Amino acid sequence: MPTALITGASRGLGAAIATALAGSHDVLLGGRPSAELDRLAASLGGATTFAAELTDYAAVAAATESITSLDVLVHNAGVESSLESVADTPVQEWQRVLEVNLVAAAELTRLLLPALRRSGGHVVFINSGAGIRANPGWAPYAASKFGLRALADSLRLEEPGLRVTSIFPGRIDTEMQRRIVAIEGDPYDGGAFLDPATVAAAVAAAVHTPADAHPVEVVLRPAGRP
């Protein structure tokens, strides 16, 4: 059975993606060591955990040493930004968001390229509507997602033996979304956002696209929203 590594898999969209791929792949559940990650592994029939802090590059390098072949790598891990203006955003916030959302994804990709090349693998980047359009207050987050799109585009051209897909979902009903809406000061209506299972289904569809096609970009928006 092919193998898929999903980062940020302990909850939310990452857990939904792992669940969507578990029937067709041996899944490696990436995330910080936690009871949530262990529970998900058990619920998926004893899936393997890839428990590492992605910005601890020495730990990530050690964790990837044993992965000699990899069919699918899904970059889902990420953090939101503080939703402040450029004028009010300190350098530490830029560094934090870019480190997690972009630099860590680039480094994990680099470390796993030999394994992906060996299997003619597929790299999926969970991007965002913010990777297509930047809005006021979202500069660090949007910059990280625009950068993630550039990483995917460059990788696609540099590695013709791989498939590379960017997924651009609109807002998703997750814990992260609850935090964002709370910062914005609005009431939370989960029904106004995408279901994580819907986005996970789009990821699975891209992964299962027959080999004669290359799913380059997938854009999803909540129904009724532009």
Side-chain angles (χ1 to χ4, degrees):
M1 188 176 288
T3 302
L5 168 59
I6 303 98
T7 68
S10 60
R11 63 175 72 89
L13 178 57
I17 293 170
T19 301
L21 293 178
S24 56
H25 291 72
D26 290 324
V27 291
L28 303 177
L29 305 175
R32 297 185 184 94
S34 69
E36 284 178 309
L37 197 67
D38 292 338
R39 281 195 295 270
L40 179 62
S43 74
L44 296 179
T48 303
T49 59
F50 180 86
E53 171 59 62
L54 293 180
T55 57
D56 182 343
Y57 300 120
V60 172
T64 57
E65 282 182 355
S66 62
I67 301 176
T68 58
S69 181
L70 183 64
D71 299 278
V72 178
L73 171 60
V74 181
H75 288 290
N76 170 71
V79 295
E80 72 272 28
S81 62
S82 57
L83 303 187
E84 296 175 308
S85 68
V86 172
D88 293 328
T89 304
V91 67
Q92 293 85 358
E93 179 69 357
W94 283 95
Q95 291 170 330
R96 180 185 72 87
V97 175
L98 290 167
E99 184 81 14
V100 176
N101 291 357
L102 177 58
V103 178
E107 177 61 1
L108 182 61
T109 301
R110 184 187 72 83
L111 290 168
L112 289 173
L113 271 178
L116 288 160
R117 288 169 180 152
R118 190 167 290 114
S119 63
H122 193 162
V123 184
V124 179
F125 292 91
I126 304 301
N127 204 292
S128 166
I132 298 173
R133 182 183 66 187
N135 289 310
W138 288 79
Y141 185 78
S144 72
K145 293 299 187 177
F146 270 74
L148 197 67
R149 183 179 191 175
L151 171 60
D153 290 349
S154 293
L155 182 67
R156 192 178 301 112
L157 294 172
E158 292 172 0
E159 300 288 339
L162 305 182
R163 295 201 294 184
V164 180
T165 303
S166 287
I167 308 287
F168 296 92
R171 291 190 168 199
I172 307 170
D173 181 19
T174 61
E175 291 179 20
M176 179 186 290
Q177 197 62 239
R178 289 181 178 274
R179 293 193 297 270
I180 292 170
V181 172
I183 292 170
E184 293 173 330
D186 296 324
Y188 191 82
D189 177 10
F193 306 127
L194 292 165
D195 190 307
T198 300
V199 182
V203 173
V207 168
H208 292 136
T209 298
D212 63 319
H214 192 149
V216 173
E217 294 184 349
V218 178
V219 180
L220 301 172
R221 294 285 181 270
R225 293 197 173 198

